[in-house]
């Protein structure tokens, strides 16, 4: 882990010391790392929001939308079930010693 020394006015240092004491941080470094992580999360969220805005208008999530979604799910499930049945029928069954001993 790298080390960084920063200079702060006394009022900011006092603020950080109070935050460490009041919020249960072990050290001022833990507090600052938490602030940085939160800022990183905010930047990621901003980027995702901008990406969403730039992607154009979305689809209305009304009853018809959910009906179509359910239908696509049913079709996929039916397709998988048919595919699994066909694959099982095409695969020859082998007898194991345990099965053959019965």
């Amino acid at each position: 882990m790298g080390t960084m020394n920063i200079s702060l006015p006394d009022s900011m240092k006092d603020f950080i010391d109070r935050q460490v004491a009041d919020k249960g941080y072990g050290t001022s470094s833990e507090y600052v790392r938490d602030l940085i992580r939160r800022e990183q999360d905010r930047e990621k969220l901003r980027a995702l929001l901008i990406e969403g805005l730039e992607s154009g208008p979305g689809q209305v999530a009304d009853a018809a939308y959910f009906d179509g979604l359910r239908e696509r799910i049913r079709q996929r499930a039916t397709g998988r079930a048919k595919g699994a049945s066909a694959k099982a029928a095409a695969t020859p069954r082998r007898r194991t010693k345990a099965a053959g001993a019965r």
Side-chain angles (χ1 to χ4, degrees):
M1 184 179 309
T3 301
M4 178 182 283
N5 294 317
I6 58 172
S7 297
L8 298 172
D10 289 336
S11 61
M12 286 186 161
K13 183 187 178 311
D14 294 341
F15 175 80
I16 290 173
D17 290 341
R18 283 193 311 275
Q19 296 301 305
V20 169
D22 294 346
K23 296 187 178 178
Y25 292 97
T27 64
S28 57
S29 291
E30 286 181 15
Y31 176 70
V32 171
R33 282 192 296 269
D34 187 48
L35 290 176
I36 293 169
R37 280 188 210 99
R38 289 177 189 214
E39 182 61 23
Q40 289 172 329
D41 289 345
R42 274 192 285 273
E43 285 184 9
K44 288 177 190 174
L45 179 58
R46 281 186 197 115
L48 290 171
L49 289 170
I50 290 169
E51 181 183 334
L53 287 171
E54 292 174 349
S55 70
Q59 188 175 2
V60 176
D62 58 5
Y65 169 81
F66 287 104
D67 289 342
L69 187 60
R70 286 185 199 97
E71 183 58 30
R72 285 196 311 260
I73 292 168
R74 280 188 205 102
Q75 288 174 359
R76 285 184 187 169
T78 303
R80 279 192 217 133
K82 287 179 182 175
S85 298
K87 186 177 179 180
T91 305
R93 294 183 181 210
R94 292 188 227 168
R95 297 184 98 185
T96 62
K97 289 183 182 181
R102 290 184 185 170

